[in-house]
Amino acid sequence: DVKVTQSSRYLVKRTGEKVFLECVQDMDHENMFWYRQDPGLGLRLIYFSYDVKMKEKGDIPEGYSVSREKKERFSLILESASTNQTSMYLCASSSRLAGGDEQFFGPGTRLTVL
Amino acid sequence: AQKITQTQPGMFVQEKEAVTLDCTYDTSDPSYGLFWYKQPSSGEMIFLIYQGSYDQQNATEGRYSLNFQKARKSANLVISASQLGDSAMYFCAMRAPYGNKLVFGAGTILRVKS
């Protein structure tokens, strides 16, 4: 059974803290993605990666960075958390092939920054 | 830039009836893909159906079908014989022309009444 796992379902942090969100996939997918989901805005792409050590900015990269040292793992880093980063964060992966290959999502991490 | 519009923030449907969730898209690229995902209250994103821009036939997957009208740039999801378990948030998404990035709409909350 294919799987994308995220390190935490719920996380509470304080303003200014450095926050790490981890994502692991077991499908040998080349592509991995980080989204944030906010009511009325849908999912917005923060960063994505096509390969190990490779990253590209999505639509809302400000305040975030990422790391992909191994193919199966993609980390999202909030260097200095702020209250406007309170959100649901979803990780996804997909194969490199174009076409109908859907993205597989993790269960999400609901982050609250106080 | 690609854009997805879902104009129905919320909808109700009677159990066993059919329901249509609207999705319009905007892109200047001739090659694109359209996806529908379901997100129950538990938070996981579940892939439902895919339509490629060059596909001649409307996609169908069980009770789900995609009413693809290319000239009108619409990709509405039709759920037949609604069940209580269909109550969820539904997202329409479009794959960007480069890579496998997805652009999501704001979503539609569907409530199935017994």
Side-chain angles (χ1 to χ4, degrees):
Chain A
D1 195 20
V2 296
K3 214 164 187 177
V4 179
T5 57
Q6 295 183 229
S7 49
S8 306
R9 289 301 303 270
Y10 300 94
L11 209 53
V12 179
K13 295 292 182 181
R14 297 211 172 270
T15 301
E17 280 192 78
K18 191 169 186 176
V19 182
F20 293 88
L21 302 182
E22 304 283 338
C23 175
V24 178
Q25 51 96 3
D26 66 359
M27 295 165 279
D28 201 36
H29 282 164
E30 294 84 4
N31 304 323
M32 295 189 75
F33 308 84
W34 275 107
Y35 296 91
R36 66 176 280 175
Q37 180 181 358
D38 300 288
L41 297 177
L43 279 71
R44 293 178 292 165
L45 183 64
I46 304 171
Y47 267 97
F48 61 102
S49 169
Y50 289 140
D51 207 343
V52 176
K53 296 191 183 296
M54 180 275 183
K55 61 186 178 184
E56 287 198 27
K57 293 179 180 179
D59 300 317
I60 51 165
E62 297 78 18
Y64 303 94
S65 63
V66 290
S67 172
R68 193 164 181 202
E69 296 296 318
K70 294 184 177 182
K71 189 176 185 180
E72 68 270 18
R73 189 180 297 270
F74 192 35
S75 302
L76 180 69
I77 303 153
L78 286 65
E79 295 289 342
S80 178
S82 63
T83 55
N84 63 12
Q85 292 178 310
T86 291
S87 187
M88 169 73 95
Y89 290 87
L90 290 160
C91 174
S93 72
S94 72
S95 76
R96 183 167 287 163
L97 300 173
D101 287 321
E102 73 270 24
Q103 291 185 11
F104 293 87
F105 283 82
T109 295
R110 189 167 292 281
L111 172 67
T112 302
V113 182
L114 302 176
Chain B
Q2 292 74 38
K3 186 177 179 182
I4 293 284
T5 303
Q6 295 180 254
T7 57
Q8 307 152 313
M11 290 192 68
F12 285 94
V13 65
Q14 196 66 38
E15 194 178 10
K16 299 180 184 176
E17 290 186 353
V19 63
T20 298
L21 306 184
D22 294 341
C23 173
T24 57
Y25 60 91
D26 188 23
T27 182
S28 57
D29 195 89
S31 177
Y32 52 89
L34 295 156
F35 297 78
W36 277 93
Y37 281 86
K38 172 185 177 181
Q39 187 181 44
S41 56
S42 53
E44 77 271 27
M45 295 282 282
I46 302 167
F47 165 72
L48 295 178
I49 197 166
Y50 167 81
Q51 180 85 41
S53 59
Y54 295 119
D55 293 344
Q56 297 296 314
Q57 307 252 0
N58 284 348
T60 60
E61 289 286 348
R63 294 187 299 112
Y64 304 108
S65 60
L66 202 152
N67 184 1
F68 182 47
Q69 298 188 41
K70 199 170 182 177
R72 297 180 60 186
K73 292 190 174 181
S74 74
N76 299 338
L77 177 71
V78 180
I79 305 175
S80 63
S82 297
Q83 302 171 357
L84 296 177
D86 294 333
S87 293
M89 176 76 89
Y90 289 82
F91 290 102
C92 180
M94 178 167 57
R95 186 179 60 241
Y98 304 109
N100 278 347
K101 294 183 291 180
L102 291 179
V103 176
F104 284 83
T108 297
I109 298 176
L110 176 68
R111 291 287 177 250
V112 181
K113 300 183 291 184
S114 59

